[in-house]
């Protein structure tokens, strides 16, 4: 049985979400800081999977215990998948949505499709890496709506609301990160569950 996984992040939202999903398996998820690991790897991969592996590998090399890392972003069809792996660097927080709305201002409704993608890399106790992905399909709206969530949530429409208009539980059920986490959960349950 696995008892503890280090998460290659200091983001408390990601940590809380992972703890919630993996605690029924008796697995405790701790932050890299609490594991005494200080590193800031260069996320220079071309894909979410490459970046998740880079982050997990950097922490595993120091901690030498099971690690998970995730990488995610928004891909807009009409922008050829941008901002994609550059989602965090596209604009400062607080300006991401307005910059995207500006880029999309002349794009008609039927061409506003987009999706969030998340890849989770899990490095097990033998140093082997396994990856799990999830997607959340939707559209870019015309204005910012809602105050929950973060990043591009206020302009990402799924069904009849934006992700920022949903509760955390509602978003978790349909989100890219929730889907990837559930895949990881299934794998850990099959491999380590009693
Ligand atoms: P990272 O996975 O922490 O590198 O995040 C990449 C960037 O993608 C974040 O800074 C956000 O701007 C964006 N992003 C990833 N997931 C979400 C989400 O669930 N909602 C809104 N924005 C997101």
């Amino acid at each position: 049985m696995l008892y503890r996984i280090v998460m290659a992040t200091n983001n408390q939202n990601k940590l809380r979400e992972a703890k919630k999903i993996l605690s029924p398996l008796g697995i405790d998820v701790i932050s890299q800081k609490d594991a005494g690991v200080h590193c800031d790897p260069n996320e220079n991969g071309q894909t979410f999977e490459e970046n998740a592996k880079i982050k997990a590998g950097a922490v595993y090399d120091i901690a030498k215990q099971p690690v998970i890392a995730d990488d995610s972003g928004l891909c807009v069809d009409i922008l050829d998948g941008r901002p994609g792996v550059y989602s965090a660097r596209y604009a400062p927080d607080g300006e991401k949505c307005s910059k995207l709305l500006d880029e999309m201002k002349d794009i008609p409704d039927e061409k506003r499709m987009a999706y969030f993608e998340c890849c989770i890399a899990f490095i097990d106790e033998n140093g082997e890496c396994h990856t799990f992905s999830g997607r959340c399909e939707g559209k870019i709206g015309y204005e910012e709506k809602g105050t929950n969530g973060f990043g591009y949530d206020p302009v990402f429409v799924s069904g009849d609301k934006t992700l920022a208009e949903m509760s955390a539980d509602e978003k978790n059920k349909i989100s890219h990160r929730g889907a990837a986490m559930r895949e990881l959960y299934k794998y850990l349950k099959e491999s380590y569950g009693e």
Side-chain angles (χ1 to χ4, degrees):
M1 182 62 199
L2 266 187
Y3 295 107
R4 175 183 274 190
I5 294 181
V6 180
M7 190 165 194
T9 187
N10 288 314
N11 179 325
Q12 292 303 316
N13 289 320
K14 287 186 181 182
L15 198 67
R16 201 173 317 120
E17 207 174 296
K19 272 180 183 289
K20 195 170 166 188
I21 291 177
L22 300 182
S23 66
L25 292 177
I27 296 173
D28 188 24
V29 184
I30 64 166
S31 70
Q32 64 180 65
K33 188 166 160 238
D34 288 341
V37 176
H38 302 281
C39 68
D40 190 13
N42 189 5
E43 293 174 36
N44 57 1
Q46 298 298 305
T47 62
F48 299 114
E49 183 171 329
E50 279 174 24
N51 280 338
K53 285 179 173 172
I54 289 170
K55 289 189 227 180
V59 173
Y60 182 83
D61 284 346
I62 300 170
K64 297 285 182 227
Q65 48 179 310
V67 172
I68 52 175
D70 83 328
D71 195 59
S72 55
L74 175 70
C75 303
V76 181
D77 290 10
I78 193 82
L79 303 179
D80 295 324
R82 280 194 305 112
V85 289
Y86 300 102
S87 293
R89 290 163 272 176
Y90 176 69
D93 282 335
E95 290 172 32
K96 286 182 167 68
C97 291
S98 51
K99 181 173 172 186
L100 183 62
L101 288 177
D102 195 45
E103 265 206 83
M104 301 278 293
K105 66 177 183 303
D106 298 322
I107 308 296
D109 204 32
E110 67 278 11
K111 292 190 177 156
R112 299 180 75 88
M113 287 85 71
Y115 62 89
F116 276 113
E117 185 160 323
C118 172
C119 180
I120 297 176
F122 164 56
I123 303 184
D124 67 22
E125 66 281 14
N126 301 313
E128 273 172 42
C129 188
H130 313 262
T131 56
F132 308 89
S133 321
R135 264 194 192 196
C136 176
E137 310 266 357
K139 274 183 165 187
I140 304 303
Y142 294 92
E143 57 182 324
E144 296 184 40
K145 281 187 185 167
T147 52
N148 299 330
F150 68 101
Y152 301 90
D153 282 349
V155 295
F156 189 90
V157 180
S158 172
D160 59 356
K161 22 181 171 172
T162 69
L163 294 183
E165 292 177 299
M166 296 182 189
S167 68
D169 278 348
E170 236 179 314
K171 179 181 165 185
N172 243 333
K173 283 190 190 129
I174 58 153
S175 84
H176 47 309
R177 197 168 300 101
M181 273 288 170
R182 283 187 290 275
E183 288 302 307
L184 170 70
Y185 173 90
K186 265 194 254 166
Y187 175 81
L188 293 176
K189 191 169 182 199
E190 275 162 24
S191 308
Y192 302 94
E194 278 130 348

